[in-house]
């Protein structure tokens, strides 16, 4: 588990820095939106495992 996180960080940190440094505003905004949606879907999956239900569509739409 730890090695997977280290490997993920080693790949994603330079990618994020490159997008922020050299990417256009639209590209950065799109990447932030994608990360937001993925984080919300993961959050809702954790809630489902705990027996909690949420408004997935409206929460995702309003967060964007």
């Amino acid at each position: 588990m730890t090695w997977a996180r280290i490997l993920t960080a080693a790949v994603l940190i330079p990618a994020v820095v490159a997008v922020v440094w050299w990417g256009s505003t639209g590209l950065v905004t799109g990447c932030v939106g994608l990360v937001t949606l993925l984080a919300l879907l993961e959050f809702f999956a954790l809630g489902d495992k705990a027996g909690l239900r949420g408004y997935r569509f409206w929460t995702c739409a309003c967060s964007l």
Side-chain angles (χ1 to χ4, degrees):
M1 181 66 99
T2 303
W3 288 108
R5 290 183 182 190
I6 291 172
L7 181 62
T8 302
V11 171
L12 289 181
I13 289 174
V16 169
V17 169
V19 166
V20 170
W21 191 260
W22 290 296
S24 66
T25 305
L27 180 63
V28 173
T29 304
C31 289
V32 168
L34 179 65
V35 169
T36 301
L37 285 177
L38 292 174
L40 277 172
L41 293 176
E42 180 67 23
F43 179 74
F44 283 125
L46 289 171
D48 283 342
K49 289 182 183 178
L52 303 171
R53 305 280 297 159
Y55 297 104
R56 289 177 190 251
F57 175 77
W58 290 112
T59 305
C60 291
C62 290
S63 70
L64 294 177

